[in-house]
Amino acid sequence: MARPPPGYVLEMTDHDPRLVALYDQDNPDGPDHDFYRALADASGARSIVDLGCGTGLLTVTLVAPRRDVVGIDPSPTMLEYAMHRPGAAAVTWVLGDSRDIPSGSSDLAVMTGNVAQHIGYDDWVRTLRDLRKALRGGATLAFESRNPAAGAWRHWTSQEPTTRETVHGPLVEWSEAREVAPGVVRLVAHNSFTKLQEVVTETLTLHFRDRATLERDLHAAGFSVDAVYGDWVRGPVTESSAVLVVVATAR
């Protein structure tokens, strides 16, 4: 890999606002959001929890007449961005995690953008239990997680840095990824704002759970698994499926 640009390195405890402002550009509305919106409409959900809502791009589009939508995220920067986007006033925004889901009986909970992969084992078990408590019997939980069999992380280490223009000047980006334990990947993403001579480094630990593990964990938390799809049009799971799309029912 080419030598990275020099600069003052910032180790972030939260997301850098400049990178958050680019999040929707890098993760636009698409077939994944279509899937969750269709699920919300088909289920007739009147109360929806979007756990790990990020910038709220999907969250605000879940709003409908006679429907309450709650967006929850542990990042103050992400949530601040979400709260100022068009349509945000119709959503209840909560800073926190699954322990902060408002009490009540929700009809649908979603975790999108591979949020499930950011949650370590102990927290994952607790998160599923918290979600079960927040959902009424018969309610739906839906989320996606990258299929470990596809090995997506093997393509995440940059061969060369890339550059794009932003309102803060040129942004040079490169990353390294490696599997540090079976199913656990450490991703280090570097973002160099060359005009400011700053390098923002974000380190993520991502958990790749296979279908059997996801189904086992859901059953243990009080869910029945209705379906696991291999794409956003409800196709079957194959070895090469990039994603596992899970739909479960609270028992």
Side-chain angles (χ1 to χ4, degrees):
M1 188 176 77
R3 189 187 193 94
Y8 178 69
V9 177
L10 301 175
E11 296 289 346
M12 302 304 298
T13 56
D14 188 17
H15 299 285
D16 187 287
R18 295 165 296 187
L19 299 179
V20 169
L22 297 171
Y23 187 84
D24 292 352
Q25 176 183 326
D26 296 338
N27 303 275
D29 194 306
D32 53 340
H33 290 188
D34 291 339
F35 176 89
Y36 291 113
R37 283 189 289 259
L39 187 63
D41 292 341
S43 68
R46 290 287 175 253
S47 178
I48 300 176
V49 174
D50 184 358
L51 183 60
C53 64
T55 63
L57 181 62
L58 168 65
T59 321
V60 296
T61 68
L62 293 172
V63 173
R66 298 180 299 280
R67 177 188 287 171
D68 296 322
V69 178
V70 177
I72 303 178
D73 201 272
S75 165
T77 307
M78 284 277 198
L79 205 66
E80 178 71 13
Y81 189 94
M83 293 171 66
H84 287 87
R85 69 182 315 123
V91 177
T92 299
W93 303 101
V94 178
L95 177 64
D97 57 26
S98 62
R99 291 167 290 192
D100 301 293
I101 298 175
S103 59
S105 298
S106 296
D107 301 314
L108 171 65
V110 299
M111 292 185 287
T112 69
N114 296 298
V115 162
Q117 292 193 251
H118 294 261
I119 306 174
Y121 177 75
D122 290 338
D123 288 335
W124 174 242
V125 171
R126 175 186 51 75
T127 295
L128 292 180
R129 290 174 178 168
D130 290 343
L131 284 165
R132 177 60 192 90
K133 292 176 184 176
L135 292 171
R136 63 170 178 77
T140 301
L141 169 64
F143 63 92
E144 87 279 355
S145 187
R146 295 181 187 88
N147 180 12
W153 69 88
R154 299 188 183 100
H155 307 288
W156 290 351
T157 296
S158 305
Q159 298 304 309
E160 295 285 344
T162 60
T163 303
R164 58 173 158 165
E165 289 297 325
T166 74
V167 295
H168 303 287
L171 174 61
V172 181
E173 300 165 293
W174 70 101
S175 60
E176 303 102 31
R178 65 187 182 93
E179 191 173 21
V180 296
V184 181
V185 173
R186 185 71 45 79
L187 173 64
V188 182
H190 307 280
N191 308 270
S192 175
F193 291 94
T194 57
K195 185 177 179 180
L196 302 173
Q197 288 291 288
E198 291 180 1
V199 179
V200 178
T201 298
E202 296 186 320
T203 301
L204 303 176
T205 300
L206 301 174
H207 300 263
F208 285 73
R209 301 176 176 98
D210 61 21
R211 178 175 182 171
T213 299
L214 292 172
E215 292 187 354
R216 181 198 67 209
D217 293 345
L218 284 161
H219 281 292
F223 292 92
S224 298
V225 177
D226 301 328
V228 180
Y229 304 113
D231 57 35
W232 296 110
V233 293
R234 301 175 183 257
V237 175
T238 67
E239 184 88 358
S240 61
S241 295
V243 68
L244 303 173
V245 184
V246 181
V247 180
T249 297
R251 296 198 300 267

